[in-house]
Amino acid sequence: MNTPAIVGTLFAMFCLWMLRYAVRNLRKADMSNDWPSVPGRMIKVQLWGNRNIGGEMKPVERLNVAYDYEVDGRRYSGTQISFYTLVYPETAEFAERHPENSGVPVFYKPDDPTQSVLVTGSKGGNKRYSEIILACLGLMVSVAIAIAGAFG
């Protein structure tokens, strides 16, 4: 096998993993709409990744959070905001609404309270399937590269 065939095959394997991850997250996002909520507390709210806003570089591209919550007398902590990736301006808006030490509703999986999110559901509109579409496009390109590499 030559290099393009090997690279295409490896990339195809990665895209299959990515597709599985995206489908699993979409299923979890849909199920999270029915999860109960409890009051929680924001422990960490950190914006990072610079973006040019009005001529000034500001760290708003990505968001890391940590929060605590209690279910049936047991304390838990979480770091997952949602089952999709928040990007600017969602990151800045979320950080502004939920600063450190503020209260926040935490939605948890009833049969496994260690799984929690702060935003339920999937991304709305035409972005609902964006991660699945991206994985499928990557898979198609990688298979084409692998085939082209294998047959010269």
Side-chain angles (χ1 to χ4, degrees):
M1 241 192 211
N2 59 22
T3 302
I6 292 169
V7 170
T9 301
L10 291 174
F11 189 57
M13 290 169 42
F14 171 74
C15 289
L16 282 171
W17 174 85
M18 198 167 92
L19 178 60
R20 181 175 172 254
Y21 180 81
V23 168
R24 189 184 81 218
N25 271 353
L26 184 59
R27 284 186 186 141
K28 283 184 176 181
D30 288 343
M31 288 189 309
S32 73
N33 286 318
D34 298 324
W35 288 2
S37 68
V38 293
R41 185 173 64 90
M42 297 300 292
I43 303 300
K44 177 179 99 172
V45 179
Q46 178 187 26
L47 287 163
W48 60 278
N50 288 336
R51 182 183 188 101
N52 188 339
I53 301 173
E56 185 181 340
M57 296 303 284
K58 295 184 178 182
V60 295
E61 197 64 36
R62 299 281 185 247
L63 176 64
N64 287 338
V65 300
Y67 52 90
D68 286 337
Y69 58 103
E70 189 173 306
V71 177
D72 296 329
R74 281 193 72 186
R75 294 190 56 76
Y76 297 93
S77 60
T79 59
Q80 188 164 4
I81 300 169
S82 67
F83 287 108
Y84 60 89
T85 304
L86 270 66
V87 293
Y88 179 81
E90 296 166 311
T91 53
E93 292 166 356
F94 185 93
E96 188 175 311
R97 282 192 321 268
H98 305 289
E100 286 184 9
N101 295 313
S102 68
V104 63
V106 177
F107 299 87
Y108 66 93
K109 186 174 181 181
D111 58 342
D112 183 6
T114 62
Q115 292 187 38
S116 63
V117 292
L118 303 177
V119 179
T120 60
S122 62
K123 203 163 208 164
N126 60 357
K127 296 178 183 176
R128 175 175 164 79
Y129 299 102
S130 59
E131 292 174 348
I132 292 173
I133 292 168
L134 180 62
C136 288
L137 288 172
L139 183 59
M140 288 187 298
V141 169
S142 60
V143 167
I145 291 170
I147 291 171
F151 294 107

